[in-house]
Amino acid sequence: MSTAADPSAAGPRTSPPAGRVTISDVARVAGVSVATVSKVVNNRYGVASSTAERVLAVVSELGYESSLVARSLRRQSTNVVGVLVAEFEPYSTELLKGISSAVGGTGYELLAYSGGSDGGVPGGWERRSLSRLAGTLIDAAIVVTPTMVMSGAYGVPVVAIDPHTGPEGTHTVDSDNVTGAREAVEHLLGLGHRRIAHLGGRTDLQSARLRELGYRQALEAAGIDVDPDLVRVGGYRPDTADTPARELLTATGDARPTAVFAANDLSAIHLMEVAAELGIRVPEELSVVGFDNVPESMTTTPALTTVAQPLHQMGAEALRMVLDLLHGTPRDQHLRLPTSLVVRGSTAPPPPPAR
């Protein structure tokens, strides 16, 4: 006599559904009710151990994940930290790598969110992003280069990395921009350069202002007056740095700089591209120093001399700070990390003066 197989002993035999797996899919494959699946995934009583094991096997096989929103409503938390950026460019990507490497073992997950281009309005993207995510999708936020003073008024702990406004408001992490810039210019001075230009960042960013300050301090300490014709706003982006880079490099005679300190690597790299287009050799005729030490700085020809920010460490420290806030054990409120000069092939002594 044949006997029917015990469904509780057999593993899932139905093909997984296409698309996003729902709780109904899990119930159908496991042969139980939706209410039973809900009890199992939420660790509630009233389900036989054999049934619970079968449901969990189906959950694992199908890759079911309950909604973050539903989870937050049940538990009043999501165990998710949001990383909010205006856009995913090399700087924010390196910070994100540092945050990601540090989150393992903490019990938290990350949600990376880009909100800077929403509606075409660059300012206030942080407020819009936090209002959408805080409390339902994330328990805390790390905000990269916010344009506004962050505060605790968003309902979740917030840590700002390299805020435009400097160390005020909420907890912050940044690097020593003044010392880094000063060391970059001192390196060029040590090579013998005297006509050193500065391709600056955005004037609304504290980091850009501090890097220009370091540039000025280094020249003044060497007894060199700052020539206003050699200070241009590059805006931290290749597209906005193009015109000022060309203005610096197309100056005639002694008016042209023999070296340029750019406020970030992307501007420095674009300046090197403009120099190549104009037939100016780097470093034989022009030395270039950047700031950040993003991976792209190592792939230029020649490789870019730059000031390294400890971007991975900055991201990891920001995660530590925001978890400290979540756990009610805050330590330092404003953390500033040291930079270091990385000398590569884009700098050399200036060319001899023309006879």
Side-chain angles (χ1 to χ4, degrees), residues 199 233-246 266-267 270 274:
L199 186 59
V233 176
Y236 278 155
R237 299 175 60 96
D239 55 344
T240 55
D242 185 76
T243 296
R246 292 180 186 278
L266 295 185
S267 298
H270 187 71
V274 172

Side-chain angles (χ1 to χ4, degrees), residues 88-333:
F88 292 108
E89 35 70 46
Y91 174 81
S92 61
T93 300
E94 290 304 301
L95 290 169
L96 185 57
K97 290 178 183 178
I99 299 168
S100 179
S101 68
V103 78
T106 65
Y108 286 84
E109 301 173 358
L110 297 178
L111 174 66
Y113 185 87
S114 173
S117 60
D118 183 23
V121 182
W125 63 269
E126 311 88 343
R127 183 184 293 110
R128 295 193 301 271
S129 299
L130 283 169
S131 67
R132 292 171 179 172
L133 304 178
T136 55
L137 290 177
I138 60 174
D139 291 343
I142 297 170
V143 186
V144 177
T145 60
T147 60
M148 54 188 286
V149 176
M150 308 305 295
S151 68
Y154 301 99
V156 297
V158 176
V159 170
I161 298 180
D162 193 21
H164 290 206
T165 54
E168 56 181 298
T170 187
H171 289 63
T172 64
V173 179
D174 64 7
S175 67
D176 191 344
N177 290 288
V178 175
T179 300
R182 193 166 58 238
E183 290 178 347
V185 179
E186 288 172 350
H187 168 66
L188 294 170
L189 290 166
L191 290 172
H193 293 277
R194 292 297 179 268
R195 192 158 179 80
I196 302 171
H198 179 50
L199 186 59
R202 285 172 43 184
T203 56
D204 62 319
L205 269 68
Q206 175 80 342
S207 62
R209 295 192 292 269
L210 293 176
R211 291 171 198 178
E212 181 177 337
L213 175 61
Y215 161 80
R216 292 177 176 274
Q217 286 181 352
L219 290 182
E220 291 167 0
I224 300 174
D225 293 333
V226 177
D227 185 343
D229 290 338
L230 294 182
V231 179
R232 303 297 172 97
V233 176
Y236 278 155
R237 299 175 60 96
D239 55 344
T240 55
D242 185 76
T243 296
R246 292 180 186 278
E247 291 171 350
L248 288 171
L249 299 186
T250 54
T252 58
D254 293 337
R256 197 177 84 189
T258 63
V260 179
F261 164 53
N264 73 334
D265 285 348
L266 295 185
S267 298
I269 291 168
H270 187 71
L271 180 104
M272 291 171 64
E273 293 170 347
V274 172
E277 180 186 327
L278 297 174
I280 300 171
R281 295 173 299 157
V282 175
E284 292 85 357
E285 298 174 283
L286 178 72
S287 287
V288 181
V289 182
F291 202 110
D292 285 338
N293 197 33
V294 296
E296 289 79 356
S297 66
M298 294 178 280
T299 62
T300 58
T301 304
L304 179 66
T305 294
T306 186
V307 177
Q309 293 195 80
L311 299 177
H312 290 186
Q313 184 184 359
M314 289 167 66
E317 290 289 356
L319 180 71
R320 175 190 62 78
M321 291 174 75
V322 84
L323 293 183
D324 283 348
L325 290 171
L326 274 171
H327 300 151
T329 57
R331 287 174 272 179
D332 36 5
Q333 182 173 4

